Amino acid sequence: MARGWSALRIVVLAVLIALVAVLTMMVRVPIAPTRGYIHLGDAGVYFAAFLFGPAFGFLAGGLGTALADLLSGYAHWAPLSLLFHGLQGLVAAYIGYRQAARRQALGWAIGSAIMIAGYFLAEVVLYGIGAALVELPGNAIQATAGGVVAIPLAAAIRRAYPPVDQLGAPVVWEER
C-alpha cells in the first residue's frame, strides 16, 4: 500500500497528466516520413518531473503522452509513449528533482537521450533507418524546447510558492 497519496496529490497528478496530453495535442509540427510530429508535451513532462519528483514525472509523462496518442489517432504509439516519456520523466526527476538548475539540466539531457533513443529504435523497426534519421532532429528540438521551458518555470513556481515542495514528497510503500 502506498502512503502519501492524498486526494490533493492525486488531483495534482491528474491535472499534470491532462496538461501533458493537451500540450502534446495542441501544437503539432508534422514530420512526413513517419507521420509523427513535434509537440510541446516534453515541457509538461519536465515540469512535472522537476517540480513534483520521479513518480509524478513518470506518471504524468507516460500517461499524458499515451493519452494524447489515444485521442489523436496514434493508438499504436501509446504503449511506446508511455514507456519512453515515462522513463524520460522518471530519470530526469531522479537526477534533478529539488536540485539546482545545473543538476536539472543534467536530468533533462539524460531524460532526453532516453526518449530520443527509444523513439529512434522504434522508428528503425517500424519505418527503417532513413525515416528514423529524419525524425531524429525533430525529437531533439522537442526535448530541447521542453527543458528550456520547464527548468526556469519550475524554479519560478518553487520560489513563488514554496509549499509546492510538499506535494512532491516521496511516496512510501509499506506492506500490509
Side-chain angles (χ1 to χ4, degrees):
M1 179 108 202
R3 249 185 327 131
W5 282 101
S6 66
L8 178 60
R9 288 186 77 197
I10 293 169
V11 169
V12 169
L13 177 59
V15 169
L16 289 169
I17 292 168
L19 174 71
V20 171
V22 168
L23 288 172
T24 301
M25 296 184 324
M26 188 173 63
V27 176
R28 293 188 196 168
V29 179
I31 300 173
T34 62
R35 293 187 10 209
Y37 56 92
I38 300 170
H39 57 79
L40 299 175
D42 287 28
V45 174
Y46 289 122
F47 176 78
F50 294 140
L51 200 56
F52 299 104
F56 280 67
F58 179 78
L59 294 169
L63 293 174
T65 55
L67 179 62
D69 286 340
L70 291 171
L71 295 173
S72 301
Y74 292 88
H76 61 289
W77 282 103
L80 295 172
S81 292
L82 175 68
L83 178 64
F84 301 148
H85 285 288
L87 289 175
Q88 172 189 19
L90 177 73
V91 170
Y94 183 73
I95 295 168
Y97 174 57
R98 290 188 181 168
Q99 300 295 320
R102 182 173 293 173
R103 186 72 186 242
Q104 288 180 346
L106 177 63
W108 158 81
I110 295 172
S112 295
I114 289 169
M115 183 272 294
I116 293 167
Y119 277 109
F120 178 75
L121 293 173
E123 289 158 356
V124 166
V125 171
L126 292 172
Y127 305 114
I129 189 77
L133 286 170
V134 170
E135 183 102 8
L136 201 57
N139 285 334
I141 291 168
Q142 172 181 302
T144 300
V148 166
V149 169
I151 290 172
L153 182 61
I157 289 176
R158 183 167 276 118
R159 275 192 308 274
Y161 189 68
V164 78
D165 278 337
Q166 295 170 359
L167 290 172
V171 176
V172 177
W173 293 92
E174 58 186 30
E175 293 190 32
R176 293 186 89 157

